[in-house]
Amino acid sequence: GQQLNQSPQSMFIQEGEDVSMNCTSSSIFNTWLWYKQDPGEGPVLLIALYKAGELTSNGRLTAQFGITRKDSFLNISASIPSDVGIYFCAVSGNTPLVFGKGTRLSVIA
Amino acid sequence: SQTIHQWPATLVQPVGSPLSLECTVEGTSNPNLYWYRQAAGRGLQLLFYSVGIGQISSEVPQNLSASRPQDRQFILSSKKLLLSDSGFYLCAWIPGMTEAFFGQGTRLTVV
């Protein structure tokens, strides 16, 4: 099946710091998605990217669809305690939605 | 509006016992439904998906099975649970192969 390489696997940051995480694939995809999972809950969609090179923001979150269509990154600015959780990238193509292994974010107040 | 229900929320089962997790969707018809498993601290592993009644696709051969007896019902089952079946199971509805709507999840502990 398709493999997504998501990094870093985990991050510990101070409140107020900026965060950056990325996701890469060996295959080309037409849609990249970023989800957040709060502890004990199902993931929720944060940002959807449909066009290569597209840069999209959602509040303090910014995500970009790589120009090669093989990668994407997610930035979080001025982190706050409620940013804690697992962030997943996902891709959509001719196969069911595939998720990366996630980046676990911990925010130290 | 569409709603996805999943139960039970938590389950503790002995090794060798059967399993049945249920997922239902409201507010839509002929939904594409998915079962994912998340091991502790790990990513989401796609187990099964279904595009219609009686249609099941399996992504990973294992000790589990799935059924779609009704349009808006998706069931995950096992005849005999293994310790390695422990995890957080998530049902999802994915319209149009983009945004996924997840249920609240079932935390299964096999003891």
Side-chain angles (χ1 to χ4, degrees):
Chain A
Q2 302 292 349
Q3 294 284 342
L4 295 181
N5 298 310
Q6 189 172 350
S7 65
Q9 189 173 14
S10 62
M11 302 180 73
F12 290 84
I13 62 169
Q14 293 281 348
E15 183 177 357
E17 289 183 351
D18 296 342
V19 175
S20 183
M21 59 191 78
N22 67 78
C23 199
T24 61
S25 170
S26 58
S27 302
I28 290 174
F29 291 98
N30 294 321
T31 301
W32 282 82
L33 308 158
W34 284 94
Y35 287 81
K36 183 195 176 190
Q37 183 181 28
D38 289 326
E41 304 281 334
V44 174
L45 182 67
L46 297 174
I47 294 177
L49 302 160
Y50 300 104
K51 186 178 178 182
E54 178 182 359
L55 185 70
T56 298
S57 294
N58 178 5
R60 293 178 295 105
L61 278 61
T62 302
Q64 183 159 30
F65 188 158
I67 197 71
T68 64
R69 290 190 284 161
K70 292 183 177 182
D71 64 322
S72 176
F73 71 75
L74 175 71
N75 288 341
I76 304 173
S77 62
S79 59
I80 59 178
S82 62
D83 290 333
V84 164
I86 303 177
Y87 291 79
F88 292 101
C89 61
V91 290
S92 172
N94 294 323
T95 57
L97 208 60
V98 175
F99 289 83
K101 293 189 182 299
T103 295
R104 183 179 292 273
L105 179 64
S106 299
V107 179
I108 304 167
Chain B
S1 63
Q2 300 83 11
T3 307
I4 184 164
H5 299 282
Q6 187 181 340
W7 68 91
T10 60
L11 194 58
V12 179
Q13 292 283 102
V15 169
S17 63
L19 173 73
S20 180
L21 303 181
E22 188 164 345
C23 173
T24 60
V25 180
E26 296 178 358
T28 186
S29 60
N30 198 29
N32 295 329
L33 296 174
Y34 297 74
W35 278 111
Y36 288 89
R37 176 170 61 196
Q38 185 177 28
R42 302 294 298 277
L44 298 171
Q45 178 188 32
L46 178 62
L47 302 176
F48 302 95
Y49 68 96
S50 172
V51 298
I53 296 174
Q55 300 180 59
I56 307 294
S57 296
S58 175
E59 289 293 303
V60 181
Q62 55 210 319
N63 185 40
L64 303 169
S65 62
S67 61
R68 180 88 176 260
Q70 299 181 42
D71 181 43
R72 287 174 283 181
Q73 184 183 34
F74 199 25
I75 296 173
L76 182 69
S77 304
S78 174
K79 292 183 179 178
K80 288 185 178 182
L81 284 168
L82 306 172
L83 286 174
S84 58
D85 292 325
S86 294
F88 191 50
Y89 289 82
L90 287 158
C91 178
W93 167 50
I94 307 179
M97 302 298 288
T98 52
E99 179 170 5
F101 297 91
F102 286 88
Q104 287 292 95
T106 296
R107 183 160 305 283
L108 172 66
T109 304
V110 183
V111 296

